[in-house]
Amino acid sequence: MNALLESIRQILLPGVKIASLDPHNPVIVHYVPSPWQVLGTGNYAAVFYHPDFPDQVVKIYAPGRPGHQEEIQVYRRLGSHPAFSQLLYTGDEFLVLKRLHGITLYDAMHLGIPIPKQVIQDIDEALRYARQRGLFPHDVHGRNVMMQDGRGLVVDVSDFLHQETCSAWKDLKTAYYWLYRPFLSPLRVRVPYFMLDLVRLVYRLWRRFTNAWGHFLLKGR
């Protein structure tokens, strides 16, 4: 861990360039110093790994984006569970997490890799566990859940303190059981990324509309 922290503080943090242009879209990594590499990006933060430390990742929030302290609280409440990562170290500007290996359901759809029912059930169980720990699973979608060896994993828990209702996982499960399993899975359909991104955009707009309509109806009572 000491060697990893030294590389984070002396190489990664001074050199990395991250920007968040839109809170509803992934951050942009303009530069990452070698040998560090980008593992993934979210709406507020980016995740990096060093090839010499394959079982740890470093999460850095973009300037001006919240969530660092909240995510620390979430991981402390979660403790140890096979479907979640673990918090290994906290810094003022970064988190060191246990790396989860696998493929996101989003990428599995793109590659035509079958998504077993067990993956969905594992994620369901993990979210129930999180609720039992006083958390509120939020914004759980195909880009922040993964599968490895036929088992489900939850990658991003940064919004699990948000108490407002979120139907993202429920909606994904509906699409899985009513569309994916009966039609797409048997055909091993490979869905282009532009189509997945279009579905994501349409879904996001639909959620905004339904939320706004719901607030309108409540105010009208």
Side-chain angles (χ1 to χ4, degrees):
M1 179 63 76
N2 288 338
L4 174 62
L5 293 176
E6 182 179 359
S7 183
I8 293 170
R9 293 192 170 106
Q10 295 187 7
I11 299 175
L12 180 61
L13 291 179
V16 71
K17 304 296 181 185
I18 307 173
S20 175
L21 305 180
D22 181 343
H24 299 294
N25 286 308
V27 302
I28 298 172
V29 180
H30 292 293
Y31 178 76
V32 56
S34 179
W36 286 91
Q37 299 180 43
V38 180
L39 182 62
T41 57
N43 291 355
Y44 287 178
V47 177
F48 305 89
Y49 75 96
H50 191 295
D52 291 342
F53 306 95
D55 295 321
Q56 293 85 34
V57 295
V58 180
K59 186 168 186 177
I60 302 176
Y61 277 78
R65 294 302 179 196
H68 180 267
Q69 292 300 319
E70 290 80 359
E71 189 160 1
I72 293 173
Q73 292 184 47
V74 171
Y75 276 113
R76 286 176 176 167
R77 289 195 198 182
L78 285 174
S80 178
H81 187 281
F84 294 106
S85 178
Q86 288 181 267
L87 180 63
L88 304 177
Y89 186 87
T90 64
D92 293 338
E93 305 174 69
F94 64 93
L95 305 176
V96 178
L97 305 170
K98 182 183 81 171
R99 182 175 178 179
L100 296 177
H101 297 271
I103 183 173
T104 67
L105 302 196
Y106 188 84
D107 288 334
M109 288 287 295
H110 172 69
L111 297 171
I113 298 174
I115 302 171
K117 185 178 178 181
Q118 183 64 53
V119 169
I120 305 300
Q121 293 173 336
D122 286 345
I123 295 169
D124 257 344
E125 190 281 326
L127 299 183
R128 281 194 295 271
Y129 168 84
R131 293 186 189 97
Q132 292 170 359
R133 308 288 289 189
L135 297 168
F136 308 89
H138 188 91
D139 202 29
V140 180
H141 53 75
R143 281 183 128 162
N144 61 24
V145 291
M146 298 174 62
M147 63 180 186
Q148 181 188 31
D149 299 328
R151 305 308 299 260
L153 305 169
V154 182
V155 180
D156 190 353
V157 300
S158 57
D159 290 332
F160 277 29
L161 291 180
H162 295 187
Q163 297 188 28
E164 63 266 26
T165 302
C166 178
S167 63
W169 176 245
K170 178 182 176 182
D171 295 337
L172 188 151
K173 283 197 303 178
T174 299
Y176 176 84
Y177 285 113
W178 288 90
L179 177 62
Y180 176 80
R181 278 182 66 85
F183 302 111
L184 299 181
S185 181
L187 299 175
R188 299 289 182 93
V189 173
R190 296 189 177 192
V191 184
Y193 278 131
F194 81 88
M195 290 187 64
L196 291 171
D197 290 338
L198 179 61
V199 170
R200 177 173 174 264
L201 174 61
V202 171
Y203 173 73
R204 193 171 66 205
L205 293 175
W206 175 76
R207 280 181 60 186
R208 287 184 186 177
F209 171 78
T210 54
N211 289 339
W213 181 249
H215 289 315
F216 172 78
L217 292 178
L218 288 175
K219 288 183 178 180
R221 291 182 178 180

